Amino acid sequence: METALNPGHIRFLLEGAAWTLALSLIAFAGGGAGGFLVALGRIAPLRAVRALTTLYVQIVQGTPLLVILFLIFFGLPQLGFKLSPWISAAVALALNVAAYAAEIIRSAILSVPQGQWEAATALSLPAGRTWTDLIIPQALRNTLPSLGGWAIAMFKDTPFLIVIGVPEMVAAAQRVGAQNFTYTEALTIAGAMLTMILAALDQNIVNTALPRIVADLGGASHLSWVVTAFLLTSTATTPSSKRRATS
C-alpha cells in the first residue's frame, strides 16, 4: 500500500481549494446582493417590510451555519425540494452572508449625513439618481472594508460544508488521507493552503484592492460634490439672509 502523497493527491487538494474559492465567491456575491435588498427593507417606510426583514436578520444571525445547512439539505427534501450539495451550500452561505451584510450596509446608508438627503430633495433630484449617484457611492465607501473582512471570515467557514458532502478543501484532504492513511500530511497541506489563500486575500483584497476602490468611490460621484457645494453655499448664505431680514 502506498503510504506517501503523490502529485495526484496534491492536484486533488488544489482542485478542492479551487472549488472552495469558487463557492465562496458565488455565495458572497449572492449574499451581498441579498444583503443590500434586506438593508433596504430594514429602512423601508412600510412597517410590515421592516418587521419581516428584521425577523429574517434576527433568525439567521441567531442560527448556527451548520443548522442552516442541515435545514436546507435535509429539511427541504421533506417538502419536495431536493437540492444538490453544491446548491445547498451556496444557498446556506448566501443566506448567512445576507443577514450580516444587511446590517453592515444598513448602518452605512444611515451614516450618510441627513443634509445630503435634504439637499437632494431641494435640488429636485429623482429618487433613482439620489440613490445611484449620491447615497450608494458614499455607503459603499463605508461598507467595503467591513464586507471584505466578512468575506474572509465566511471563507474560513467553508469546512462546515463537509457535513453535506461538498468536496471542498478539508473534504479533499480527508479523502486523500483515507486512501493511504496520511491524514496528518494531507490535513497539514490543506491547512497550509488555506493559510496562504487567506493571507493572499487579506493582502490583495482587504489591504490593496479595497482601499483603491474606496479612494475611487471618494471621487467617483460628481453629484456628491454638487450636493456638498449646495450645502456649503446654503450654510454660508443663511446668516447674511437673516441679517438682511432683521435690518
Side-chain angles (χ1 to χ4, degrees):
M1 177 184 295
E2 185 180 2
T3 59
L5 298 179
N6 57 49
H9 295 146
I10 302 300
R11 184 167 56 251
F12 188 68
L13 292 175
L14 290 174
E15 291 177 358
W19 282 113
T20 301
L21 274 174
L23 186 59
S24 299
L25 291 175
I26 294 173
F28 185 74
F36 179 75
L37 296 178
V38 175
L40 294 182
R42 292 274 281 129
I43 59 176
L46 296 178
R47 181 178 299 178
V49 176
R50 293 200 308 271
L52 287 175
T53 51
T54 300
L55 182 64
Y56 165 77
V57 170
Q58 291 179 347
I59 290 177
V60 175
Q61 287 188 355
T63 305
L65 177 60
L66 195 59
V67 175
I68 298 177
L69 279 171
F70 283 156
L71 287 175
I72 293 175
F73 186 69
F74 297 109
L76 288 182
Q78 303 297 323
L79 302 177
F81 302 97
K82 187 176 182 180
L83 303 178
S84 67
W86 284 105
I87 296 178
S88 299
V91 171
L93 288 175
L95 289 176
N96 191 58
V97 170
Y100 290 93
E103 291 302 283
I104 296 174
I105 297 172
R106 181 181 71 90
S107 62
I109 293 175
L110 295 178
S111 69
V112 176
Q114 183 65 27
Q116 300 279 331
W117 299 85
E118 296 173 354
T121 302
L123 292 173
S124 300
L125 292 177
R129 287 204 63 195
T130 299
W131 277 97
T132 59
D133 295 342
L134 182 63
I135 304 303
I136 292 179
Q138 297 183 70
L140 282 178
R141 190 171 54 198
N142 298 330
T143 60
L144 283 178
S146 299
L147 288 178
W150 179 249
I152 292 178
M154 181 205 65
F155 181 79
K156 292 191 293 185
D157 289 338
T158 53
F160 285 117
L161 306 181
I162 191 176
V163 299
I164 60 173
V166 175
E168 45 77 46
M169 192 183 307
V170 176
Q174 287 198 345
R175 290 185 183 182
V176 169
Q179 291 179 2
N180 49 14
F181 300 100
T182 55
Y183 289 101
T184 302
E185 294 87 341
L187 290 173
T188 300
I189 293 176
M193 288 181 180
L194 180 63
T195 300
M196 288 188 291
I197 292 174
L198 289 174
L201 290 175
D202 184 65
Q203 178 63 32
N204 296 323
I205 295 181
V206 177
N207 295 329
T208 303
L210 290 183
R212 290 180 182 176
I213 296 175
V214 169
D216 293 340
L217 287 174
S221 177
H222 300 290
L223 185 58
S224 62
W225 290 103
V226 173
V227 172
T228 302
F230 174 81
L231 289 172
L232 293 175
T233 303
S234 302
T235 304
T237 56
T238 299
S240 59
S241 302
K242 288 183 178 181
R243 285 196 298 268
R244 286 197 301 269
T246 54
S247 60

